[in-house]
Amino acid sequence: MKKFRFSLETVMEYKQQVLDSLQAEHGAILARVREQEEYIEVLEADYRSLSGEFNQRKLEGLSMLDAIKYEQYLRSSERQIEEAYAQLKKLRAQAEKKRAEVVEAKKETSSIEKLREKKLESYNKAVQKDEENMIDEFVMTKRVMEAQSA
């Protein structure tokens, strides 16, 4: 009997490549999300530190010019933090979109793999049936030969 060949093998390989690519892209986006979260943590820590320093300096007494500089820097830090959160929101949306693409590609790949498994199972059953038929034929031939010799 001829060797098993799945007619959709190239399609399955292509779908697997697409899935692998999407998973890599999703992983890269998740890494960017983590980096952005860490960046926000640093910005917020700097803001808290500067705010604490400003409050301490206010208690000790500082010039109006220094107070204005502190307030301007704090407002600038707040804008940076807001922008960083907006960027994080975009990255999370991209990650979710890519995750949905990965899930869809996984479904497609999985359905083709299941079809391949069914075809292989059917092929294996046919091979087994052919082997059984050959054995039956051999046994019958042997019996016929033995009956003729007797």
Side-chain angles (χ1 to χ4, degrees):
M1 184 156 196
K2 63 183 179 178
K3 184 179 173 186
F4 174 74
R5 180 166 143 42
F6 182 55
S7 60
L8 297 175
E9 191 74 35
T10 54
V11 173
M12 189 172 76
E13 289 172 2
Y14 171 75
K15 293 289 186 183
Q16 187 62 47
Q17 288 174 351
V18 169
L19 176 61
D20 293 344
S21 174
L22 288 172
Q23 286 174 329
E25 291 171 15
H26 184 244
I29 292 171
L30 289 177
R32 288 178 31 212
V33 166
R34 282 189 292 280
E35 288 173 8
Q36 189 69 14
E37 289 170 342
E38 290 170 4
Y39 176 63
I40 289 171
E41 287 176 18
V42 169
L43 289 176
E44 289 177 337
D46 286 346
Y47 179 84
R48 285 190 300 273
S49 172
L50 186 66
S51 180
E53 182 181 321
F54 179 45
N55 288 333
Q56 183 64 35
R57 297 268 324 262
K58 281 193 289 189
L59 294 174
E60 296 169 357
L62 77 154
S63 71
M64 186 62 95
L65 185 60
D66 286 342
I68 291 171
K69 286 180 184 178
Y70 269 106
E71 286 180 353
Q72 286 177 342
Y73 188 76
L74 287 170
R75 300 306 153 249
S76 173
S77 290
E78 289 171 356
R79 281 191 300 276
Q80 271 187 307
I81 291 170
E82 287 173 12
E83 289 170 5
Y85 271 111
Q87 180 65 23
L88 178 61
K89 185 177 178 180
K90 288 179 186 176
L91 287 171
R92 285 182 173 159
Q94 287 176 358
E96 183 57 31
K97 181 180 177 189
K98 194 59 71 174
R99 188 193 67 75
E101 289 176 22
V102 168
V103 167
E104 189 59 35
K106 183 68 177 163
K107 285 179 188 175
E108 292 174 7
T109 304
S110 194
S111 65
I112 293 175
E113 286 173 352
K114 286 179 184 175
L115 179 62
R116 183 184 187 280
E117 288 171 8
K118 286 181 181 179
K119 295 282 186 182
L120 180 59
E121 184 179 323
S122 175
Y123 169 81
N124 287 335
K125 285 180 181 178
V127 167
Q128 184 178 358
K129 187 155 183 87
D130 282 352
E131 288 174 356
E132 289 172 0
N133 287 341
M134 283 186 354
I135 291 171
D136 287 345
E137 202 174 299
F138 176 75
V139 169
M140 289 295 254
T141 305
K142 186 174 180 183
R143 285 185 185 160
V144 168
M145 297 274 251
E146 287 174 356
Q148 288 177 350
S149 350

PDB file of all heavy atoms in Angstrom, residues 2-3 5 14 28 30 33 38 47 50 57 72 74 88 95-96 103 108 111 114 124 128-129 132 137 140 145:
ATOM      1  N   LYS A   2       0.421   2.274  -0.664  1.00  0.00           N
ATOM      2  CA  LYS A   2       1.236   3.487  -0.756  1.00  0.00           C
ATOM      3  C   LYS A   2       1.307   4.213   0.587  1.00  0.00           C
ATOM      4  O   LYS A   2       0.461   4.029   1.457  1.00  0.00           O
ATOM      5  CB  LYS A   2       0.691   4.404  -1.841  1.00  0.00           C
ATOM      6  CG  LYS A   2      -0.704   4.925  -1.582  1.00  0.00           C
ATOM      7  CD  LYS A   2      -1.180   5.774  -2.742  1.00  0.00           C
ATOM      8  CE  LYS A   2      -2.609   6.246  -2.434  1.00  0.00           C
ATOM      9  NZ  LYS A   2      -3.130   7.101  -3.447  1.00  0.00           N
ATOM     10  N   LYS A   3       2.319   5.047   0.713  1.00  0.00           N
ATOM     11  CA  LYS A   3       2.584   5.792   1.943  1.00  0.00           C
ATOM     12  C   LYS A   3       1.494   6.843   2.164  1.00  0.00           C
ATOM     13  O   LYS A   3       0.961   7.411   1.217  1.00  0.00           O
ATOM     14  CB  LYS A   3       3.954   6.459   1.804  1.00  0.00           C
ATOM     15  CG  LYS A   3       4.413   7.192   3.019  1.00  0.00           C
ATOM     16  CD  LYS A   3       5.783   7.795   2.796  1.00  0.00           C
ATOM     17  CE  LYS A   3       6.150   8.662   3.976  1.00  0.00           C
ATOM     18  NZ  LYS A   3       7.389   9.381   3.764  1.00  0.00           N
ATOM     19  N   ARG A   5      -0.289  10.198   2.704  1.00  0.00           N
ATOM     20  CA  ARG A   5      -0.025  11.576   2.298  1.00  0.00           C
ATOM     21  C   ARG A   5      -1.287  12.378   2.556  1.00  0.00           C
ATOM     22  O   ARG A   5      -2.356  12.039   2.054  1.00  0.00           O
ATOM     23  CB  ARG A   5       0.336  11.626   0.822  1.00  0.00           C
ATOM     24  CG  ARG A   5       0.618  13.038   0.348  1.00  0.00           C
ATOM     25  CD  ARG A   5       1.300  13.096  -0.984  1.00  0.00           C
ATOM     26  NE  ARG A   5       0.917  14.161  -1.873  1.00  0.00           N
ATOM     27  CZ  ARG A   5       0.696  15.427  -1.577  1.00  0.00           C
ATOM     28  NH1 ARG A   5       0.787  15.820  -0.351  1.00  0.00           N
ATOM     29  NH2 ARG A   5       0.364  16.315  -2.476  1.00  0.00           N
ATOM     30  N   TYR A  14       1.481  26.003   6.394  1.00  0.00           N
ATOM     31  CA  TYR A  14       1.328  27.455   6.258  1.00  0.00           C
ATOM     32  C   TYR A  14       0.577  28.029   7.464  1.00  0.00           C
ATOM     33  O   TYR A  14       0.989  29.037   8.043  1.00  0.00           O
ATOM     34  CB  TYR A  14       0.584  27.800   4.966  1.00  0.00           C
ATOM     35  CG  TYR A  14       0.203  29.251   4.875  1.00  0.00           C
ATOM     36  CD1 TYR A  14       1.157  30.220   4.601  1.00  0.00           C
ATOM     37  CD2 TYR A  14      -1.114  29.662   5.089  1.00  0.00           C
ATOM     38  CE1 TYR A  14       0.812  31.565   4.540  1.00  0.00           C
ATOM     39  CE2 TYR A  14      -1.464  30.995   5.030  1.00  0.00           C
ATOM     40  CZ  TYR A  14      -0.506  31.939   4.750  1.00  0.00           C
ATOM     41  OH  TYR A  14      -0.841  33.261   4.698  1.00  0.00           O
ATOM     42  N   ALA A  28       5.829  39.824  21.636  1.00  0.00           N
ATOM     43  CA  ALA A  28       6.546  41.097  21.557  1.00  0.00           C
ATOM     44  C   ALA A  28       5.689  42.239  22.102  1.00  0.00           C
ATOM     45  O   ALA A  28       6.193  43.118  22.821  1.00  0.00           O
ATOM     46  CB  ALA A  28       6.954  41.384  20.115  1.00  0.00           C
ATOM     47  N   LEU A  30       3.276  41.949  24.303  1.00  0.00           N
ATOM     48  CA  LEU A  30       3.194  41.780  25.766  1.00  0.00           C
ATOM     49  C   LEU A  30       4.462  42.279  26.452  1.00  0.00           C
ATOM     50  O   LEU A  30       4.396  42.866  27.540  1.00  0.00           O
ATOM     51  CB  LEU A  30       2.941  40.311  26.120  1.00  0.00           C
ATOM     52  CG  LEU A  30       1.549  39.775  25.796  1.00  0.00           C
ATOM     53  CD1 LEU A  30       1.461  38.288  26.130  1.00  0.00           C
ATOM     54  CD2 LEU A  30       0.472  40.560  26.526  1.00  0.00           C
ATOM     55  N   VAL A  33       4.168  45.936  26.639  1.00  0.00           N
ATOM     56  CA  VAL A  33       3.224  46.301  27.703  1.00  0.00           C
ATOM     57  C   VAL A  33       3.943  46.292  29.045  1.00  0.00           C
ATOM     58  O   VAL A  33       3.822  47.236  29.839  1.00  0.00           O
ATOM     59  CB  VAL A  33       2.005  45.336  27.721  1.00  0.00           C
ATOM     60  CG1 VAL A  33       1.205  45.476  29.017  1.00  0.00           C
ATOM     61  CG2 VAL A  33       1.108  45.576  26.519  1.00  0.00           C
ATOM     62  N   GLU A  38       6.515  49.214  33.573  1.00  0.00           N
ATOM     63  CA  GLU A  38       7.703  49.531  34.374  1.00  0.00           C
ATOM     64  C   GLU A  38       8.069  51.005  34.242  1.00  0.00           C
ATOM     65  O   GLU A  38       8.447  51.657  35.223  1.00  0.00           O
ATOM     66  CB  GLU A  38       8.878  48.649  33.935  1.00  0.00           C
ATOM     67  CG  GLU A  38       8.705  47.188  34.311  1.00  0.00           C
ATOM     68  CD  GLU A  38       9.742  46.273  33.675  1.00  0.00           C
ATOM     69  OE1 GLU A  38      10.655  46.777  32.984  1.00  0.00           O
ATOM     70  OE2 GLU A  38       9.622  45.050  33.856  1.00  0.00           O
ATOM     71  N   TYR A  47       7.742  61.091  40.504  1.00  0.00           N
ATOM     72  CA  TYR A  47       6.753  62.106  40.860  1.00  0.00           C
ATOM     73  C   TYR A  47       6.565  62.152  42.375  1.00  0.00           C
ATOM     74  O   TYR A  47       6.564  63.224  42.976  1.00  0.00           O
ATOM     75  CB  TYR A  47       5.424  61.810  40.151  1.00  0.00           C
ATOM     76  CG  TYR A  47       4.340  62.795  40.484  1.00  0.00           C
ATOM     77  CD1 TYR A  47       4.244  64.004  39.811  1.00  0.00           C
ATOM     78  CD2 TYR A  47       3.411  62.540  41.491  1.00  0.00           C
ATOM     79  CE1 TYR A  47       3.265  64.924  40.109  1.00  0.00           C
ATOM     80  CE2 TYR A  47       2.421  63.450  41.812  1.00  0.00           C
ATOM     81  CZ  TYR A  47       2.353  64.640  41.112  1.00  0.00           C
ATOM     82  OH  TYR A  47       1.376  65.565  41.425  1.00  0.00           O
ATOM     83  N   LEU A  50       9.688  63.668  44.006  1.00  0.00           N
ATOM     84  CA  LEU A  50       9.768  65.113  43.811  1.00  0.00           C
ATOM     85  C   LEU A  50       8.684  65.831  44.623  1.00  0.00           C
ATOM     86  O   LEU A  50       8.938  66.890  45.207  1.00  0.00           O
ATOM     87  CB  LEU A  50       9.642  65.470  42.331  1.00  0.00           C
ATOM     88  CG  LEU A  50       9.847  66.939  42.007  1.00  0.00           C
ATOM     89  CD1 LEU A  50      11.295  67.349  42.307  1.00  0.00           C
ATOM     90  CD2 LEU A  50       9.516  67.229  40.571  1.00  0.00           C
ATOM     91  N   ARG A  57      10.537  70.997  51.235  1.00  0.00           N
ATOM     92  CA  ARG A  57      11.145  72.324  51.018  1.00  0.00           C
ATOM     93  C   ARG A  57      10.161  73.443  51.364  1.00  0.00           C
ATOM     94  O   ARG A  57      10.575  74.508  51.819  1.00  0.00           O
ATOM     95  CB  ARG A  57      11.606  72.465  49.562  1.00  0.00           C
ATOM     96  CG  ARG A  57      12.691  71.524  49.102  1.00  0.00           C
ATOM     97  CD  ARG A  57      14.118  72.002  49.221  1.00  0.00           C
ATOM     98  NE  ARG A  57      14.424  73.382  48.994  1.00  0.00           N
ATOM     99  CZ  ARG A  57      14.901  73.918  47.861  1.00  0.00           C
ATOM    100  NH1 ARG A  57      15.104  73.140  46.800  1.00  0.00           N
ATOM    101  NH2 ARG A  57      15.191  75.185  47.778  1.00  0.00           N
ATOM    102  N   GLN A  72       5.888  73.484  38.137  1.00  0.00           N
ATOM    103  CA  GLN A  72       5.958  73.251  36.690  1.00  0.00           C
ATOM    104  C   GLN A  72       6.500  71.852  36.395  1.00  0.00           C
ATOM    105  O   GLN A  72       5.981  71.149  35.527  1.00  0.00           O
ATOM    106  CB  GLN A  72       6.843  74.306  36.014  1.00  0.00           C
ATOM    107  CG  GLN A  72       6.193  75.654  35.908  1.00  0.00           C
ATOM    108  CD  GLN A  72       7.126  76.705  35.307  1.00  0.00           C
ATOM    109  OE1 GLN A  72       8.342  76.522  35.273  1.00  0.00           O
ATOM    110  NE2 GLN A  72       6.547  77.804  34.851  1.00  0.00           N
ATOM    111  N   LEU A  74       6.348  69.268  38.398  1.00  0.00           N
ATOM    112  CA  LEU A  74       5.325  68.304  38.810  1.00  0.00           C
ATOM    113  C   LEU A  74       4.221  68.200  37.753  1.00  0.00           C
ATOM    114  O   LEU A  74       3.770  67.090  37.433  1.00  0.00           O
ATOM    115  CB  LEU A  74       4.736  68.672  40.174  1.00  0.00           C
ATOM    116  CG  LEU A  74       5.642  68.423  41.376  1.00  0.00           C
ATOM    117  CD1 LEU A  74       5.055  69.041  42.641  1.00  0.00           C
ATOM    118  CD2 LEU A  74       5.883  66.940  41.569  1.00  0.00           C
ATOM    119  N   LEU A  88       0.017  52.950  27.285  1.00  0.00           N
ATOM    120  CA  LEU A  88      -0.221  51.620  27.848  1.00  0.00           C
ATOM    121  C   LEU A  88      -1.588  51.094  27.412  1.00  0.00           C
ATOM    122  O   LEU A  88      -1.722  49.915  27.059  1.00  0.00           O
ATOM    123  CB  LEU A  88      -0.127  51.667  29.377  1.00  0.00           C
ATOM    124  CG  LEU A  88      -0.398  50.358  30.110  1.00  0.00           C
ATOM    125  CD1 LEU A  88       0.619  49.288  29.699  1.00  0.00           C
ATOM    126  CD2 LEU A  88      -0.359  50.576  31.619  1.00  0.00           C
ATOM    127  N   ALA A  95      -2.442  44.247  22.182  1.00  0.00           N
ATOM    128  CA  ALA A  95      -2.192  42.899  22.701  1.00  0.00           C
ATOM    129  C   ALA A  95      -3.473  42.071  22.662  1.00  0.00           C
ATOM    130  O   ALA A  95      -3.448  40.891  22.287  1.00  0.00           O
ATOM    131  CB  ALA A  95      -1.640  42.963  24.123  1.00  0.00           C
ATOM    132  N   GLU A  96      -4.580  42.671  23.031  1.00  0.00           N
ATOM    133  CA  GLU A  96      -5.855  41.946  23.017  1.00  0.00           C
ATOM    134  C   GLU A  96      -6.265  41.588  21.584  1.00  0.00           C
ATOM    135  O   GLU A  96      -6.729  40.483  21.323  1.00  0.00           O
ATOM    136  CB  GLU A  96      -6.942  42.797  23.689  1.00  0.00           C
ATOM    137  CG  GLU A  96      -8.277  42.105  23.785  1.00  0.00           C
ATOM    138  CD  GLU A  96      -8.247  40.783  24.521  1.00  0.00           C
ATOM    139  OE1 GLU A  96      -7.423  40.606  25.435  1.00  0.00           O
ATOM    140  OE2 GLU A  96      -9.051  39.900  24.164  1.00  0.00           O
ATOM    141  N   VAL A 103      -5.860  33.263  18.763  1.00  0.00           N
ATOM    142  CA  VAL A 103      -6.911  32.287  19.061  1.00  0.00           C
ATOM    143  C   VAL A 103      -7.557  31.798  17.772  1.00  0.00           C
ATOM    144  O   VAL A 103      -7.767  30.589  17.590  1.00  0.00           O
ATOM    145  CB  VAL A 103      -7.970  32.898  20.025  1.00  0.00           C
ATOM    146  CG1 VAL A 103      -9.211  32.034  20.096  1.00  0.00           C
ATOM    147  CG2 VAL A 103      -7.375  33.097  21.398  1.00  0.00           C
ATOM    148  N   GLU A 108      -8.031  27.470  13.493  1.00  0.00           N
ATOM    149  CA  GLU A 108      -7.853  27.006  12.116  1.00  0.00           C
ATOM    150  C   GLU A 108      -6.831  25.877  12.049  1.00  0.00           C
ATOM    151  O   GLU A 108      -7.061  24.854  11.395  1.00  0.00           O
ATOM    152  CB  GLU A 108      -7.416  28.166  11.210  1.00  0.00           C
ATOM    153  CG  GLU A 108      -8.480  29.207  11.001  1.00  0.00           C
ATOM    154  CD  GLU A 108      -7.987  30.408  10.220  1.00  0.00           C
ATOM    155  OE1 GLU A 108      -6.838  30.389   9.722  1.00  0.00           O
ATOM    156  OE2 GLU A 108      -8.747  31.385  10.105  1.00  0.00           O
ATOM    157  N   SER A 111      -8.250  22.664  13.607  1.00  0.00           N
ATOM    158  CA  SER A 111      -9.238  21.952  12.785  1.00  0.00           C
ATOM    159  C   SER A 111      -8.555  21.167  11.670  1.00  0.00           C
ATOM    160  O   SER A 111      -8.953  20.036  11.369  1.00  0.00           O
ATOM    161  CB  SER A 111     -10.277  22.918  12.214  1.00  0.00           C
ATOM    162  OG  SER A 111      -9.681  23.816  11.313  1.00  0.00           O
ATOM    163  N   LYS A 114      -6.944  18.096  13.256  1.00  0.00           N
ATOM    164  CA  LYS A 114      -7.945  17.062  13.554  1.00  0.00           C
ATOM    165  C   LYS A 114      -8.335  16.318  12.281  1.00  0.00           C
ATOM    166  O   LYS A 114      -8.493  15.093  12.303  1.00  0.00           O
ATOM    167  CB  LYS A 114      -9.172  17.679  14.220  1.00  0.00           C
ATOM    168  CG  LYS A 114      -8.941  18.075  15.653  1.00  0.00           C
ATOM    169  CD  LYS A 114     -10.173  18.703  16.265  1.00  0.00           C
ATOM    170  CE  LYS A 114      -9.867  19.175  17.693  1.00  0.00           C
ATOM    171  NZ  LYS A 114     -10.992  19.891  18.279  1.00  0.00           N
ATOM    172  N   ASN A 124      -4.673   4.158   8.364  1.00  0.00           N
ATOM    173  CA  ASN A 124      -4.151   3.045   9.165  1.00  0.00           C
ATOM    174  C   ASN A 124      -5.124   1.875   9.206  1.00  0.00           C
ATOM    175  O   ASN A 124      -4.708   0.713   9.165  1.00  0.00           O
ATOM    176  CB  ASN A 124      -3.798   3.512  10.577  1.00  0.00           C
ATOM    177  CG  ASN A 124      -2.548   4.360  10.603  1.00  0.00           C
ATOM    178  OD1 ASN A 124      -1.698   4.261   9.725  1.00  0.00           O
ATOM    179  ND2 ASN A 124      -2.425   5.211  11.607  1.00  0.00           N
ATOM    180  N   GLN A 128      -4.355  -1.857   7.824  1.00  0.00           N
ATOM    181  CA  GLN A 128      -4.570  -3.033   8.665  1.00  0.00           C
ATOM    182  C   GLN A 128      -5.502  -4.027   7.959  1.00  0.00           C
ATOM    183  O   GLN A 128      -5.251  -5.225   7.968  1.00  0.00           O
ATOM    184  CB  GLN A 128      -5.160  -2.614  10.008  1.00  0.00           C
ATOM    185  CG  GLN A 128      -5.325  -3.768  10.974  1.00  0.00           C
ATOM    186  CD  GLN A 128      -5.864  -3.297  12.319  1.00  0.00           C
ATOM    187  OE1 GLN A 128      -6.084  -2.108  12.543  1.00  0.00           O
ATOM    188  NE2 GLN A 128      -6.082  -4.237  13.206  1.00  0.00           N
ATOM    189  N   LYS A 129      -6.554  -3.524   7.322  1.00  0.00           N
ATOM    190  CA  LYS A 129      -7.487  -4.399   6.609  1.00  0.00           C
ATOM    191  C   LYS A 129      -6.784  -5.105   5.458  1.00  0.00           C
ATOM    192  O   LYS A 129      -6.985  -6.308   5.231  1.00  0.00           O
ATOM    193  CB  LYS A 129      -8.680  -3.607   6.106  1.00  0.00           C
ATOM    194  CG  LYS A 129      -9.769  -4.450   5.496  1.00  0.00           C
ATOM    195  CD  LYS A 129     -11.070  -3.708   5.603  1.00  0.00           C
ATOM    196  CE  LYS A 129     -12.195  -4.534   5.067  1.00  0.00           C
ATOM    197  NZ  LYS A 129     -12.778  -5.419   6.049  1.00  0.00           N
ATOM    198  N   GLU A 132      -4.643  -7.828   6.906  1.00  0.00           N
ATOM    199  CA  GLU A 132      -5.482  -8.954   7.301  1.00  0.00           C
ATOM    200  C   GLU A 132      -5.928  -9.764   6.089  1.00  0.00           C
ATOM    201  O   GLU A 132      -5.941 -10.997   6.122  1.00  0.00           O
ATOM    202  CB  GLU A 132      -6.700  -8.458   8.090  1.00  0.00           C
ATOM    203  CG  GLU A 132      -6.356  -7.946   9.477  1.00  0.00           C
ATOM    204  CD  GLU A 132      -7.536  -7.276  10.174  1.00  0.00           C
ATOM    205  OE1 GLU A 132      -8.645  -7.216   9.572  1.00  0.00           O
ATOM    206  OE2 GLU A 132      -7.350  -6.806  11.310  1.00  0.00           O
ATOM    207  N   GLU A 137      -5.545 -14.531   2.775  1.00  0.00           N
ATOM    208  CA  GLU A 137      -5.255 -15.103   1.463  1.00  0.00           C
ATOM    209  C   GLU A 137      -4.116 -16.110   1.558  1.00  0.00           C
ATOM    210  O   GLU A 137      -4.171 -17.191   0.962  1.00  0.00           O
ATOM    211  CB  GLU A 137      -4.881 -13.969   0.497  1.00  0.00           C
ATOM    212  CG  GLU A 137      -5.056 -14.310  -0.950  1.00  0.00           C
ATOM    213  CD  GLU A 137      -4.800 -13.091  -1.821  1.00  0.00           C
ATOM    214  OE1 GLU A 137      -5.526 -12.077  -1.671  1.00  0.00           O
ATOM    215  OE2 GLU A 137      -3.861 -13.168  -2.635  1.00  0.00           O
ATOM    216  N   MET A 140      -5.441 -19.271   3.288  1.00  0.00           N
ATOM    217  CA  MET A 140      -6.295 -20.023   2.367  1.00  0.00           C
ATOM    218  C   MET A 140      -5.465 -20.744   1.314  1.00  0.00           C
ATOM    219  O   MET A 140      -5.728 -21.915   1.001  1.00  0.00           O
ATOM    220  CB  MET A 140      -7.292 -19.074   1.677  1.00  0.00           C
ATOM    221  CG  MET A 140      -8.353 -18.580   2.610  1.00  0.00           C
ATOM    222  SD  MET A 140      -9.375 -19.914   3.166  1.00  0.00           S
ATOM    223  CE  MET A 140     -10.823 -19.581   2.245  1.00  0.00           C
ATOM    224  N   MET A 145      -3.211 -25.746  -0.773  1.00  0.00           N
ATOM    225  CA  MET A 145      -2.012 -26.511  -1.164  1.00  0.00           C
ATOM    226  C   MET A 145      -1.923 -27.795  -0.329  1.00  0.00           C
ATOM    227  O   MET A 145      -1.585 -28.847  -0.866  1.00  0.00           O
ATOM    228  CB  MET A 145      -0.752 -25.667  -0.976  1.00  0.00           C
ATOM    229  CG  MET A 145      -0.706 -24.448  -1.820  1.00  0.00           C
ATOM    230  SD  MET A 145      -0.049 -24.786  -3.394  1.00  0.00           S
ATOM    231  CE  MET A 145       1.484 -24.007  -3.333  1.00  0.00           C
TER     232      MET A 145
END
